[in-house]
Amino acid sequence: AGGKEILTSGSDGSIIRWDAATGRETGSLRLVLPGGGFGPGFVTVPVTLSADGTRALASDSSVGLGVYDLPAGTQQFVIPGDVNRPSTGAFTPDGTKVVQVLSSFDPRKTPPRVAVWSVATGRKLGEVEWPGIGTVSASLTP
């Protein structure tokens, strides 16, 4: 299989690397979730991997989204969340940005937001609010 890997992730923040040719485990990494985690099964969003397998995105309740550098085994930065609403995120297809969606339980009080963050700098590139709508989803084209 020419050195190809399969990466799997669990809702407990674990990432396991597998050799695609042999099916054998080649290593694992346990992410430290932004708020410390609440144990297996209580992470609001499973770990999401970038298309190239070099980055991971993990959510821990409403504390935020942790962005991780997998080869280094370190957390790059945390995208802040909001205790009043769930925060989810995904990498863009090219892995250079994270799209964050903050839904709302009460859209009149706290409208949902969609923000785009740079993976390289950890800075917010832009944000849109959706007044009057409770739930939104979003993605970016390459």
Side-chain angles (χ1 to χ4, degrees):
K4 297 197 185 251
E5 286 186 310
I6 297 170
L7 289 96
T8 59
S9 66
S11 63
D12 64 350
S14 63
I15 294 176
I16 301 173
R17 295 179 180 273
W18 306 87
D19 182 285
T22 66
R24 290 194 175 118
E25 183 179 331
T26 60
S28 64
L29 173 68
R30 175 99 180 190
L31 304 180
V32 177
L33 301 172
F38 298 107
F42 289 92
V43 178
T44 58
V45 177
V47 174
T48 302
L49 301 171
S50 62
D52 65 1
T54 63
R55 300 280 185 273
L57 184 65
S59 175
D60 188 2
S61 185
S62 57
V63 175
L65 301 169
V67 179
Y68 298 86
D69 179 324
L70 295 181
T74 60
Q75 185 182 79
Q76 282 185 272
F77 61 96
V78 173
I79 296 171
D82 182 334
V83 296
N84 296 313
R85 51 185 155 180
S87 176
T88 60
F91 288 99
T92 56
D94 64 5
T96 63
K97 296 172 189 72
V98 170
V99 179
Q100 177 191 32
V101 176
L102 289 158
S103 294
S104 178
F105 298 117
D106 184 355
R108 285 173 276 166
K109 187 175 181 180
T110 54
R113 293 188 329 229
V114 175
V116 178
W117 295 78
S118 167
V119 170
T121 66
R123 293 180 179 233
K124 188 187 309 182
L125 301 174
E127 180 178 86
V128 177
E129 274 195 0
W130 297 89
I133 297 174
T135 305
V136 297
S137 61
S139 62
L140 287 179
T141 62

mmCIF file of all heavy atoms in Angstrom, residues 33-35 44 57-68 77-83 85 87-88 100 102:
data_model
loop_
_atom_site.group_PDB
_atom_site.id
_atom_site.type_symbol
_atom_site.label_atom_id
_atom_site.label_comp_id
_atom_site.label_asym_id
_atom_site.label_seq_id
_atom_site.Cartn_x
_atom_site.Cartn_y
_atom_site.Cartn_z
ATOM 1 N N LEU A 33 -8.549 17.205 25.704
ATOM 2 C CA LEU A 33 -9.651 18.024 25.233
ATOM 3 C C LEU A 33 -9.645 19.381 25.921
ATOM 4 O O LEU A 33 -9.190 19.511 27.055
ATOM 5 C CB LEU A 33 -10.966 17.295 25.442
ATOM 6 C CG LEU A 33 -11.032 15.941 24.716
ATOM 7 C CD1 LEU A 33 -12.279 15.188 25.121
ATOM 8 C CD2 LEU A 33 -10.962 16.111 23.223
ATOM 9 N N PRO A 34 -10.144 20.436 25.240
ATOM 10 C CA PRO A 34 -10.035 21.796 25.760
ATOM 11 C C PRO A 34 -10.484 21.993 27.201
ATOM 12 O O PRO A 34 -9.855 22.688 27.956
ATOM 13 C CB PRO A 34 -10.905 22.617 24.799
ATOM 14 C CG PRO A 34 -10.898 21.848 23.533
ATOM 15 C CD PRO A 34 -10.809 20.394 23.938
ATOM 16 N N GLY A 35 -11.575 21.360 27.618
ATOM 17 C CA GLY A 35 -12.068 21.538 28.981
ATOM 18 C C GLY A 35 -11.726 20.398 29.906
ATOM 19 O O GLY A 35 -12.258 20.297 30.991
ATOM 20 N N THR A 44 -18.998 16.147 22.963
ATOM 21 C CA THR A 44 -20.154 16.510 22.162
ATOM 22 C C THR A 44 -19.958 16.230 20.687
ATOM 23 O O THR A 44 -20.910 16.000 19.980
ATOM 24 C CB THR A 44 -20.520 17.989 22.354
ATOM 25 O OG1 THR A 44 -19.391 18.782 21.995
ATOM 26 C CG2 THR A 44 -20.914 18.267 23.783
ATOM 27 N N LEU A 57 -9.415 17.939 15.076
ATOM 28 C CA LEU A 57 -10.286 18.937 15.696
ATOM 29 C C LEU A 57 -11.173 18.186 16.685
ATOM 30 O O LEU A 57 -11.829 17.213 16.314
ATOM 31 C CB LEU A 57 -11.135 19.591 14.610
ATOM 32 C CG LEU A 57 -12.068 20.728 14.979
ATOM 33 C CD1 LEU A 57 -11.259 21.934 15.456
ATOM 34 C CD2 LEU A 57 -12.906 21.115 13.775
ATOM 35 N N ALA A 58 -11.154 18.601 17.957
ATOM 36 C CA ALA A 58 -11.952 17.925 18.974
ATOM 37 C C ALA A 58 -12.727 18.942 19.782
ATOM 38 O O ALA A 58 -12.204 19.993 20.142
ATOM 39 C CB ALA A 58 -11.049 17.107 19.892
ATOM 40 N N SER A 59 -13.980 18.622 20.066
ATOM 41 C CA SER A 59 -14.837 19.503 20.848
ATOM 42 C C SER A 59 -14.990 18.933 22.249
ATOM 43 O O SER A 59 -15.098 17.731 22.425
ATOM 44 C CB SER A 59 -16.203 19.611 20.183
ATOM 45 O OG SER A 59 -17.077 20.376 20.985
ATOM 46 N N ASP A 60 -15.015 19.820 23.228
ATOM 47 C CA ASP A 60 -15.239 19.406 24.603
ATOM 48 C C ASP A 60 -16.354 20.270 25.174
ATOM 49 O O ASP A 60 -16.104 21.404 25.578
ATOM 50 C CB ASP A 60 -13.965 19.565 25.409
ATOM 51 C CG ASP A 60 -14.085 18.972 26.806
ATOM 52 O OD1 ASP A 60 -15.144 18.407 27.124
ATOM 53 O OD2 ASP A 60 -13.124 19.072 27.563
ATOM 54 N N SER A 61 -17.570 19.745 25.140
ATOM 55 C CA SER A 61 -18.739 20.462 25.608
ATOM 56 C C SER A 61 -18.782 21.827 24.921
ATOM 57 O O SER A 61 -18.604 21.927 23.718
ATOM 58 C CB SER A 61 -18.707 20.573 27.131
ATOM 59 O OG SER A 61 -19.877 21.166 27.613
ATOM 60 N N SER A 62 -19.000 22.897 25.676
ATOM 61 C CA SER A 62 -19.080 24.225 25.060
ATOM 62 C C SER A 62 -17.813 25.033 25.306
ATOM 63 O O SER A 62 -17.775 26.223 25.044
ATOM 64 C CB SER A 62 -20.286 24.966 25.607
ATOM 65 O OG SER A 62 -20.195 25.054 27.006
ATOM 66 N N VAL A 63 -16.772 24.386 25.831
ATOM 67 C CA VAL A 63 -15.524 25.090 26.109
ATOM 68 C C VAL A 63 -14.884 25.576 24.818
ATOM 69 O O VAL A 63 -14.346 26.673 24.748
ATOM 70 C CB VAL A 63 -14.550 24.191 26.901
ATOM 71 C CG1 VAL A 63 -13.206 24.862 27.078
ATOM 72 C CG2 VAL A 63 -15.149 23.843 28.239
ATOM 73 N N GLY A 64 -14.928 24.769 23.789
ATOM 74 C CA GLY A 64 -14.346 25.172 22.517
ATOM 75 C C GLY A 64 -13.914 23.997 21.688
ATOM 76 O O GLY A 64 -14.174 22.838 22.028
ATOM 77 N N LEU A 65 -13.242 24.311 20.608
ATOM 78 C CA LEU A 65 -12.725 23.313 19.687
ATOM 79 C C LEU A 65 -11.207 23.347 19.745
ATOM 80 O O LEU A 65 -10.600 24.381 19.480
ATOM 81 C CB LEU A 65 -13.182 23.618 18.256
ATOM 82 C CG LEU A 65 -14.684 23.663 18.011
ATOM 83 C CD1 LEU A 65 -14.983 24.226 16.628
ATOM 84 C CD2 LEU A 65 -15.283 22.291 18.170
ATOM 85 N N GLY A 66 -10.598 22.245 20.097
ATOM 86 C CA GLY A 66 -9.142 22.167 20.125
ATOM 87 C C GLY A 66 -8.622 21.766 18.758
ATOM 88 O O GLY A 66 -9.128 20.836 18.147
ATOM 89 N N VAL A 67 -7.618 22.483 18.252
ATOM 90 C CA VAL A 67 -6.973 22.155 16.982
ATOM 91 C C VAL A 67 -5.606 21.556 17.320
ATOM 92 O O VAL A 67 -4.818 22.171 18.037
ATOM 93 C CB VAL A 67 -6.817 23.398 16.085
ATOM 94 C CG1 VAL A 67 -6.132 23.040 14.778
ATOM 95 C CG2 VAL A 67 -8.184 24.030 15.812
ATOM 96 N N TYR A 68 -5.348 20.343 16.804
ATOM 97 C CA TYR A 68 -4.158 19.584 17.167
ATOM 98 C C TYR A 68 -3.272 19.311 15.963
ATOM 99 O O TYR A 68 -3.761 19.037 14.872
ATOM 100 C CB TYR A 68 -4.565 18.239 17.785
ATOM 101 C CG TYR A 68 -5.351 18.407 19.057
ATOM 102 C CD1 TYR A 68 -6.720 18.595 19.019
ATOM 103 C CD2 TYR A 68 -4.715 18.411 20.288
ATOM 104 C CE1 TYR A 68 -7.448 18.774 20.184
ATOM 105 C CE2 TYR A 68 -5.436 18.589 21.448
ATOM 106 C CZ TYR A 68 -6.803 18.777 21.391
ATOM 107 O OH TYR A 68 -7.512 18.959 22.548
ATOM 108 N N PHE A 77 -4.075 25.349 19.167
ATOM 109 C CA PHE A 77 -4.841 26.421 19.781
ATOM 110 C C PHE A 77 -6.255 25.925 20.042
ATOM 111 O O PHE A 77 -6.640 24.850 19.597
ATOM 112 C CB PHE A 77 -4.860 27.690 18.914
ATOM 113 C CG PHE A 77 -5.476 27.519 17.547
ATOM 114 C CD1 PHE A 77 -6.806 27.847 17.314
ATOM 115 C CD2 PHE A 77 -4.728 27.047 16.478
ATOM 116 C CE1 PHE A 77 -7.371 27.686 16.061
ATOM 117 C CE2 PHE A 77 -5.282 26.904 15.220
ATOM 118 C CZ PHE A 77 -6.618 27.222 15.005
ATOM 119 N N VAL A 78 -7.037 26.737 20.776
ATOM 120 C CA VAL A 78 -8.435 26.425 21.049
ATOM 121 C C VAL A 78 -9.294 27.522 20.454
ATOM 122 O O VAL A 78 -9.053 28.707 20.671
ATOM 123 C CB VAL A 78 -8.709 26.313 22.569
ATOM 124 C CG1 VAL A 78 -10.202 26.149 22.841
ATOM 125 C CG2 VAL A 78 -7.935 25.154 23.162
ATOM 126 N N ILE A 79 -10.296 27.114 19.692
ATOM 127 C CA ILE A 79 -11.298 28.048 19.173
ATOM 128 C C ILE A 79 -12.358 28.156 20.265
ATOM 129 O O ILE A 79 -12.973 27.158 20.631
ATOM 130 C CB ILE A 79 -11.913 27.523 17.868
ATOM 131 C CG1 ILE A 79 -10.833 27.429 16.784
ATOM 132 C CG2 ILE A 79 -13.065 28.408 17.431
ATOM 133 C CD1 ILE A 79 -11.284 26.715 15.517
ATOM 134 N N PRO A 80 -12.572 29.365 20.823
ATOM 135 C CA PRO A 80 -13.488 29.488 21.956
ATOM 136 C C PRO A 80 -14.918 29.099 21.607
ATOM 137 O O PRO A 80 -15.400 29.355 20.510
ATOM 138 C CB PRO A 80 -13.423 30.966 22.325
ATOM 139 C CG PRO A 80 -12.376 31.579 21.484
ATOM 140 C CD PRO A 80 -11.992 30.623 20.421
ATOM 141 N N GLY A 81 -15.580 28.488 22.580
ATOM 142 C CA GLY A 81 -16.987 28.141 22.441
ATOM 143 C C GLY A 81 -17.839 29.098 23.247
ATOM 144 O O GLY A 81 -17.410 30.203 23.579
ATOM 145 N N ASP A 82 -19.045 28.679 23.565
ATOM 146 C CA ASP A 82 -19.985 29.498 24.314
ATOM 147 C C ASP A 82 -20.794 28.540 25.182
ATOM 148 O O ASP A 82 -21.384 27.586 24.664
ATOM 149 C CB ASP A 82 -20.882 30.253 23.340
ATOM 150 C CG ASP A 82 -21.883 31.178 24.009
ATOM 151 O OD1 ASP A 82 -22.268 30.933 25.161
ATOM 152 O OD2 ASP A 82 -22.298 32.154 23.365
ATOM 153 N N VAL A 83 -20.839 28.769 26.485
ATOM 154 C CA VAL A 83 -21.528 27.858 27.388
ATOM 155 C C VAL A 83 -23.022 27.763 27.110
ATOM 156 O O VAL A 83 -23.676 26.824 27.542
ATOM 157 C CB VAL A 83 -21.291 28.228 28.872
ATOM 158 C CG1 VAL A 83 -19.839 28.079 29.232
ATOM 159 C CG2 VAL A 83 -21.803 29.610 29.180
ATOM 160 N N ARG A 85 -24.455 27.492 24.102
ATOM 161 C CA ARG A 85 -24.810 26.824 22.849
ATOM 162 C C ARG A 85 -23.709 25.870 22.408
ATOM 163 O O ARG A 85 -22.538 26.084 22.685
ATOM 164 C CB ARG A 85 -25.096 27.843 21.765
ATOM 165 C CG ARG A 85 -24.015 28.871 21.596
ATOM 166 C CD ARG A 85 -24.478 29.881 20.600
ATOM 167 N NE ARG A 85 -23.805 31.147 20.794
ATOM 168 C CZ ARG A 85 -24.032 32.179 20.048
ATOM 169 N NH1 ARG A 85 -24.909 32.102 19.083
ATOM 170 N NH2 ARG A 85 -23.408 33.298 20.260
ATOM 171 N N SER A 87 -21.002 24.004 20.083
ATOM 172 C CA SER A 87 -20.055 24.434 19.059
ATOM 173 C C SER A 87 -19.553 23.207 18.313
ATOM 174 O O SER A 87 -19.110 22.248 18.926
ATOM 175 C CB SER A 87 -18.878 25.157 19.722
ATOM 176 O OG SER A 87 -17.900 25.511 18.776
ATOM 177 N N THR A 88 -19.661 23.237 16.991
ATOM 178 C CA THR A 88 -19.136 22.158 16.166
ATOM 179 C C THR A 88 -18.202 22.765 15.127
ATOM 180 O O THR A 88 -18.229 23.974 14.874
ATOM 181 C CB THR A 88 -20.257 21.379 15.453
ATOM 182 O OG1 THR A 88 -20.990 22.282 14.613
ATOM 183 C CG2 THR A 88 -21.190 20.720 16.450
ATOM 184 N N GLN A 100 -16.443 26.920 12.063
ATOM 185 C CA GLN A 100 -17.064 26.702 13.364
ATOM 186 C C GLN A 100 -18.527 27.124 13.292
ATOM 187 O O GLN A 100 -18.847 28.200 12.791
ATOM 188 C CB GLN A 100 -16.362 27.535 14.440
ATOM 189 C CG GLN A 100 -17.000 27.419 15.810
ATOM 190 C CD GLN A 100 -16.471 28.445 16.785
ATOM 191 O OE1 GLN A 100 -16.123 29.556 16.398
ATOM 192 N NE2 GLN A 100 -16.424 28.079 18.051
ATOM 193 N N LEU A 102 -21.806 27.735 15.751
ATOM 194 C CA LEU A 102 -22.376 27.862 17.092
ATOM 195 C C LEU A 102 -23.886 27.932 16.925
ATOM 196 O O LEU A 102 -24.422 28.933 16.450
ATOM 197 C CB LEU A 102 -21.865 29.125 17.783
ATOM 198 C CG LEU A 102 -20.408 29.090 18.205
ATOM 199 C CD1 LEU A 102 -19.849 30.485 18.369
ATOM 200 C CD2 LEU A 102 -20.256 28.309 19.483
#
